[in-house]
Amino acid sequence: MKYFIYFLMISAFVLLGYNATLLNLDDLFAKDSSVALAGILACLCVIVLMLILLMSRAIKEKYESE
């Protein structure tokens, strides 16, 4: 499960980079830029959720070992 979480985080970083290349800074609310912004926000949400999951699993393992 740990490797799957890392895989999801790496793929989210790759998609974040791809969506950043699609972003038009001159017109952020154009059709393509709004899709890129939604993709960037989704990638950031996935990264944050996976970090929370990793931290909660580490805390769970710490308290189960005591």
Side-chain angles (χ1 to χ4, degrees):
M1 182 74 171
K2 185 176 177 182
Y3 295 115
F4 182 67
I5 293 170
Y6 287 135
F7 171 74
L8 286 177
M9 288 178 62
I10 290 170
S11 61
F13 276 117
V14 169
L15 286 173
L16 181 78
Y18 175 71
N19 283 324
T21 62
L22 294 178
L23 197 61
N24 183 5
L25 295 177
D26 294 332
D27 191 12
L28 285 177
F29 296 107
K31 184 176 181 179
D32 291 337
S33 290
S34 63
V35 171
L37 279 175
I40 289 171
L41 288 175
C43 290
L44 290 174
C45 289
V46 167
I47 292 167
V48 167
L49 288 173
M50 291 301 111
L51 287 173
I52 291 171
L53 182 61
L54 282 174
M55 294 300 293
S56 67
R57 289 172 56 100
I59 291 170
K60 180 181 174 185
E61 289 175 5
K62 180 180 177 183
Y63 283 111
E64 284 181 352
S65 66
E66 290 180 0

